Amino acid sequence: SKLTVAKAKASLSPLAQRAQICNAVAVSSITANSAGLDLGHGAATVMGQKEIASFLELQQEDVSPLTPAEVVDRFEQSADFKLKGFLSFEGFCAFLQDTRNFAAPVEQNKWKEEIMDHPLSHYFIASSHNTYLCGHQLKGESSVDMYRQVLLTGCRCIELDCHDGENGSPVIYHGMTLTSKIAFESAVEAINQFAFVKSPLPLVLSIENHCSLPQQQKMAAIFLRIFGDRLVKNFLFESDHDDDPYLPSPNQLKEKILIKNKKLSTGIVSGVVSAGSGISSVTRTVGGRAWVLKNQNSDSGVPEDDEQFDEEDDEFDFEEEKKDSPDTPHPPGTKKPTIRRSILQSVHTNERLSDAVVQAQAAAKARAAVGPNATTPLAHQVTSMKETSAKQVFRRFPTANVPCSEKQLQRVYPGGMRIDSSNPNPISFWCFGSQMVALNYQTEDVSLIINQALFESTGNCGYVLKPEVMWNKLHPLHSRFNPLDKDFDNIPAAIVSLQIISGQFLCLSNPTAGLMVELEVQGLPHDCAKFKTPISNRNSLNPIWYETFRFQLHFSELAFLRFTVIEVSSYHTVAQRTILLSELRKGSLSCCNNSPQ
């Protein structure tokens, strides 16, 4: 591209051409050139139709749909220049700062129906943890309105922690805490009202069920009455009945609601509770064999760890029971197989509630599908792990989870120590194939901003197709992909060159502040990096950095760029923007700012 200058030399070197463009961008908001940059030795700087066309084609690579004549007509302020078909410096700057030239115009993104035909397990799914909470995990307020707020972001998996209510109707709150309670029915009504306002794609309700059988009966009745035909109550597609079944696609389940809860299996279920002892056992007869489900009891009121505090992990051990009766006396000093009383109630799932659980059946053992002795995952089961358990499993078996999650949904949620409602970095779990990384949406920290950046790429519909290596059996690394590797065979590394030129009106309250830009690369462990520009010299209104960074990415499909403008004296964040690398366009572009975070 060429920026022509009246009475200037007829030709410029490519480097000089690039420098003039960058200079123009750098002083785009300075009415008088006080930056000391060369814009043509005092002559009037204009671009003709040919130069505009060259700039659009070579520099911007046609990111703007406008023709050169339309650029002049829309952005040139001088009537004289507009009549002659010239674009002045001011007009050029106005064009560059237009929304058409945003570095990542995610506001214009829309989800594409043609890419929503894969099974549900092939997508990352926007997911919320303890959706009802407004703040703190132990003493925060619960609110029905949080379901409205979260659903309007495009979130497609929300959580309901259900407990017995004093008036015989179930309530939602964080059990064994000081959080306030909301009516289960009110929450379901809000969910039904806003379920498909932002996105028509399927919504998953993750139920943490602590209710007694009578109140589970009421839960089921409320679901059926309020959701009606939206609720998936039966297998609907041929793929559900295949010898090797797989999940339906988002397109097939448009405006449908899936319930994630424990599902009653075929067979005889019986339970034994030792009154006063706090010990219970459950025996299940399936296929003529007796199995006992056992775990620790938490009736003491003091959880031994966060798995007992937060019942989502579902890590129960199935062991074949001895042929003698479960009531056979045990040697002194030993305990009978135990299970928490609340889990006993969950195992005794109400039949009507169980009937509403179809495509998202909570698996009995979260870690069973990963590891050297893993069995083939069942497509209609959903496994859940807290973040610490997931990290341990993924570090130990780094290549095992991606093939498992190709067929089965997996949910990872924040650990029990995050009582302040902070969030883990979702990339740590996405890169191993986990679809539903449940985050605390009430806390807009860096992790939630990264989550937002991913789902902005499909217009906040709540579904993003996973990288091809995670689902395409023809991919060279299929079933061998290890996110912890430094290099990947058959996946060429990407070289990124990015130049931070300038900023405009970044800190109006302190125009003489010194600013710098931090560029952080977030992605697979060996792709992460951080860079900094020099500090602007007492100029926060129109700082000029003109700094170029070059770096290599081994797996660019899950790489994010986080730009943070920092006021150096206080190290306060003035503005920030996080962009999925694949959304970043080429050319001389504007990166609009999010609110400081």
Side-chain angles (χ1 to χ4, degrees):
S1 62
K2 186 188 297 182
L3 186 67
T4 60
V5 181
K7 299 180 182 179
K9 293 182 178 180
S11 62
L12 293 171
S13 68
L15 185 61
Q17 294 172 19
R18 172 68 179 168
Q20 282 202 337
I21 292 172
C22 291
N23 289 348
V25 175
V27 296
S28 61
S29 61
I30 305 176
T31 54
N33 182 14
S34 59
L37 299 174
D38 181 14
L39 292 177
H41 308 290
T45 305
V46 296
M47 294 178 73
Q49 298 278 318
K50 290 183 179 179
E51 288 72 37
I52 297 172
S54 177
F55 175 78
L56 292 176
E57 179 182 355
L58 302 178
Q59 183 67 27
Q60 304 298 80
E61 298 189 8
D62 285 327
V63 297
S64 173
L66 300 179
T67 66
E70 288 173 330
V71 171
V72 172
D73 183 62
R74 295 193 185 190
F75 298 101
E76 180 49 53
Q77 301 173 19
S78 167
D80 185 41
F81 281 171
K82 186 179 293 188
L83 185 63
K84 295 176 181 179
F86 289 157
L87 186 67
S88 67
F89 167 68
E90 290 79 10
F92 176 70
C93 296
F95 168 61
L96 284 184
Q97 295 185 77
D98 182 70
T99 56
R100 294 174 180 83
N101 288 300
F102 280 177
V106 294
E107 295 81 5
Q108 304 169 20
N109 287 347
K110 296 181 179 180
W111 68 279
K112 298 178 181 178
E113 190 166 3
E114 60 269 22
I115 65 171
M116 294 295 167
D117 287 327
H118 289 251
L120 290 178
S121 55
H122 289 187
Y123 296 87
F124 297 126
I125 303 173
S127 303
S128 165
H129 173 252
N130 288 355
T131 310
Y132 51 89
L133 283 180
C134 300
H136 200 277
Q137 295 289 311
L138 301 183
K139 56 184 179 181
E141 290 293 318
S142 303
S143 171
V144 171
D145 192 59
M146 286 300 297
Y147 288 101
R148 177 189 67 84
Q149 294 181 35
V150 171
L151 287 170
L152 290 179
T153 69
C155 182
R156 296 289 83 192
C157 177
I158 56 177
E159 185 173 11
L160 297 83
D161 289 2
C162 305
H163 298 261
D164 283 354
E166 294 179 359
N167 62 353
S169 297
V171 295
I172 294 174
Y173 78 108
H174 198 182
M176 300 198 309
T177 70
L178 299 178
T179 56
S180 60
K181 301 176 182 179
I182 57 175
F184 173 82
E185 185 168 359
S186 298
V188 173
E189 288 174 344
I191 292 167
N192 188 58
Q193 182 178 357
F194 296 100
F196 304 109
V197 173
K198 183 67 176 179
S199 170
L201 299 182
L203 175 66
V204 179
L205 306 189
S206 181
I207 307 299
E208 189 177 330
N209 188 356
H210 302 265
C211 288
S212 61
L213 289 175
Q215 296 208 17
Q216 287 186 48
Q217 179 88 358
K218 290 192 174 182
M219 288 171 58
I222 290 170
F223 281 147
L224 292 167
R225 173 170 52 84
I226 294 177
F227 291 150
D229 291 339
R230 286 178 166 181
L231 186 64
V232 175
K233 300 180 283 292
N234 300 289
F235 290 119
L236 303 174
F237 307 101
E238 291 183 8
S239 60
D240 295 317
H241 303 286
D242 285 351
D243 292 337
D244 185 19
Y246 54 90
L247 289 167
S249 70
N251 275 337
Q252 289 176 304
L253 291 173
K254 278 183 184 174
E255 299 200 3
K256 292 294 185 182
I257 295 175
L258 307 177
I259 302 294
K260 172 186 169 289
N261 189 60
K262 294 181 179 68
K263 175 80 171 176
L264 285 176
S265 61
T266 57
I268 302 169
V269 179
S270 60
V272 178
V273 177
S274 300
S277 67
I279 297 174
S280 60
S281 66
V282 172
T283 304
R284 183 183 300 276
T285 304
V286 180
R289 304 178 73 185
W291 300 80
V292 63
L293 181 61
K294 66 176 187 177
N295 205 322
Q296 293 298 315
N297 188 306
S298 63
D299 281 355
S300 62
V302 181
E304 295 180 12
D305 53 35
D306 62 335
E307 288 183 19
Q308 292 189 353
F309 178 81
D310 195 347
E311 270 188 283
E312 297 170 289
D313 211 340
D314 295 342
E315 293 182 16
F316 311 128
D317 295 324
F318 280 101
E319 295 181 355
E320 189 169 1
E321 192 182 16
K322 295 180 180 180
K323 292 183 179 180
D324 54 2
S325 165
D327 294 323
T328 300
H330 287 253
T334 65
K335 288 185 178 181
K336 296 170 66 175
T338 62
I339 184 172
R340 285 175 288 173
R341 194 180 304 273
S342 55
I343 292 295
L344 176 66
Q345 294 171 343
S346 294
V347 171
H348 279 299
T349 303
N350 176 270
E351 186 174 355
R352 289 190 69 192
L353 182 59
S354 176
D355 289 343
V357 181
V358 181
Q359 305 283 4
Q361 303 171 19
K365 189 172 174 63
R367 293 175 182 157
V370 182
N373 300 316
T375 57
T376 302
L378 301 177
H380 301 122
Q381 291 188 339
V382 182
T383 58
S384 294
M385 286 186 285
K386 68 176 182 290
E387 59 172 297
T388 49
S389 298
K391 288 179 179 178
Q392 291 171 3
V393 172
F394 297 164
R395 280 196 298 267
R396 188 175 178 187
F397 310 109
T399 62
N401 200 68
V402 171
C404 171
S405 61
E406 181 184 340
K407 186 172 182 179
Q408 183 183 79
L409 290 176
Q410 187 176 85
R411 181 173 179 269
V412 178
Y413 58 91
M417 297 303 291
R418 294 186 181 273
I419 60 174
D420 59 349
S421 295
S422 60
N423 290 303
N425 187 337
I427 305 174
S428 303
F429 312 105
W430 288 335
C431 68
F432 288 95
S434 299
Q435 300 92 345
M436 299 185 291
V437 182
L439 300 180
N440 294 303
Y441 271 55
Q442 70 270 37
T443 305
E444 195 174 5
D445 52 15
V446 173
S447 297
L448 188 68
I449 291 171
I450 290 172
N451 189 75
Q452 293 168 347
L454 176 72
F455 291 102
E456 282 175 346
S457 66
T458 54
N460 288 312
C461 72
Y463 286 79
V464 172
L465 187 63
K466 294 197 287 189
E468 194 171 350
V469 69
M470 297 184 178
W471 53 264
N472 187 351
K473 290 180 171 56
L474 299 179
H475 194 283
L477 285 183
H478 183 262
S479 76
R480 297 189 298 113
F481 178 66
N482 183 354
L484 303 181
D485 282 347
K486 293 183 179 180
D487 297 291
F488 301 107
D489 296 333
N490 303 304
I491 299 182
I495 305 298
V496 180
S497 178
L498 194 147
Q499 187 174 56
I500 308 292
I501 300 173
S502 67
Q504 287 79 43
F505 305 110
L506 291 173
C507 192
L508 296 176
S509 61
N510 185 6
T512 62
L515 302 179
M516 69 175 179
V517 179
E518 278 191 356
L519 171 62
E520 187 175 3
V521 183
Q522 295 254 11
L524 267 59
H526 293 290
D527 281 341
C528 295
K530 185 177 287 188
F531 308 92
K532 296 180 181 180
T533 66
I535 299 170
S536 65
N537 185 23
R538 296 177 60 80
N539 177 8
S540 67
L541 296 182
N542 315 105
I544 297 170
W545 295 286
Y546 215 166
E547 188 79 5
T548 300
F549 304 115
R550 286 175 61 86
F551 49 91
Q552 180 173 279
L553 293 173
H554 298 89
F555 193 73
S556 59
E557 292 177 274
L558 276 179
F560 295 78
L561 302 180
R562 176 170 169 80
F563 301 88
T564 309
V565 181
I566 295 173
E567 197 280 301
V568 293
S569 64
S570 64
Y571 217 77
H572 173 69
T573 296
V574 174
Q576 65 83 28
R577 180 64 189 269
T578 301
I579 302 172
L580 181 64
L581 179 65
S582 61
E583 293 295 299
L584 186 65
R585 301 190 299 178
K586 298 178 181 179
S588 296
L589 304 163
S590 299
C591 184
C592 58
N593 295 318
N594 291 127
S595 58
Q597 195 54 233

